[in-house]
Amino acid sequence: MPEQVTEHNVYVGLGANLANPLTQLHSAVAALRQLPHSRLLAVSGFYGSKPMGPQDQPDYVNAVAKLATKLLPIELLDALQQIEQQHGRQRKAQRWGARTLDLDILLYANHTISSERLIVPHYGLTQREFVLYPLAEIAPQLQLPCGTSLQVLLSQVPLNGLEKLSNTCS
Ligand code: ROI
C-alpha cells in the first residue's frame, strides 16, 4: 500500500444496532487499533441512541474514535469497509435500516472531500446527536473545515434520549 509521509488526524464514527451492538463496537475498536499505518489516539465512551430514520429497528450503540493515519482518505475508506464486512455488514440492506456495524469517516484533518465514494465532513455530522456528543467528549475544541465550532453545533442539537452507557475500556 503506498504510504503518505504526512500523518493526519481523523475522526471515525462507529454505530451498530444488531447482533449485540456493544460487542460489535468493542470488536471494531480492536480492529481500528490494528489498522495499518495508523495509531488509535482516543475512543469516546459508548452511547445508547434512538434510531434516526425508520423507527421499527433496535436502538443503536454509537461512539467516535480519533486516529492518526498515513492512509489516504480512500485507503482508509477501503480499510473501514473491510472491517464492516468482517462484522457481517450487508451493504445492500435497506437504506437507513439496521446494521451490525457502520464505520464513517467524519473528518479527515481539515480536508473537504467530495467524490463518488466519499464525502467529508460526513453529511450527517452537524445534525446527529449520536455523533456530536461522543465527538465532543474526545475533541471539545474541534472546529469543522468551514470554521463552525463543535460547541455551537452541540448547542443546537438536543440529546434526543442519548445516554452514555460506558467508558470504552470497562
Ligand atoms: N441512528 C442512530 N441512532 N445511530 C446510528 O449510528 C445510525 N446510523 C444510521 C441511521 C440508519 C441513519 N440511523 C442511525 O445509518
Side-chain angles (χ1 to χ4, degrees):
M1 197 177 283
E3 196 181 327
Q4 296 184 108
V5 181
T6 325
E7 207 175 38
H8 291 104
N9 282 338
V10 172
Y11 293 92
V12 174
L14 296 82
N17 73 340
L18 287 180
N20 196 339
L22 265 178
T23 307
Q24 296 291 338
L25 253 62
H26 277 294
S27 169
V29 169
L32 290 178
R33 232 180 260 290
Q34 303 297 321
L35 276 178
H37 311 300
S38 307
R39 297 179 292 129
L40 183 64
L41 298 181
V43 185
S44 73
F46 290 175
Y47 290 76
S49 64
K50 300 290 165 214
M52 184 192 162
Q55 295 298 295
D56 59 341
Q57 56 178 323
D59 286 355
Y60 278 77
V61 178
N62 286 106
V64 170
K66 178 182 185 181
L67 301 163
T69 188
K70 292 179 182 171
L71 297 176
L72 296 167
I74 210 72
E75 293 171 338
L76 179 62
L77 179 67
D78 284 338
L80 296 180
Q81 289 187 347
Q82 203 176 341
I83 296 172
E84 288 178 343
Q85 301 292 320
Q86 287 159 358
H87 288 75
R89 171 74 183 267
Q90 307 277 324
R91 273 253 149 227
K92 294 245 184 277
Q94 181 201 8
R95 183 172 183 260
W96 282 25
R99 65 260 336 265
T100 48
L101 182 64
D102 203 7
L103 296 174
D104 291 326
I105 301 175
L106 303 171
L107 293 164
Y108 186 98
N110 226 16
H111 296 191
T112 304
I113 302 164
S114 184
S115 70
E116 206 174 305
R117 286 188 62 202
L118 187 61
I119 295 179
V120 178
H122 188 269
Y123 69 95
L125 170 61
T126 58
Q127 296 111 39
R128 297 183 172 185
E129 72 284 355
F130 54 86
V131 173
L132 292 174
Y133 287 87
L135 184 57
E137 196 189 310
I138 57 173
Q141 306 304 327
L142 194 76
Q143 292 204 342
L144 303 194
C146 63
T148 305
S149 81
L150 183 56
Q151 292 303 326
V152 166
L153 294 171
L154 282 173
S155 71
Q156 295 166 353
V157 176
L159 280 167
N160 189 30
L162 187 77
E163 54 170 351
K164 190 164 174 181
L165 299 175
S166 65
N167 287 316
T168 331
C169 32
S170 57

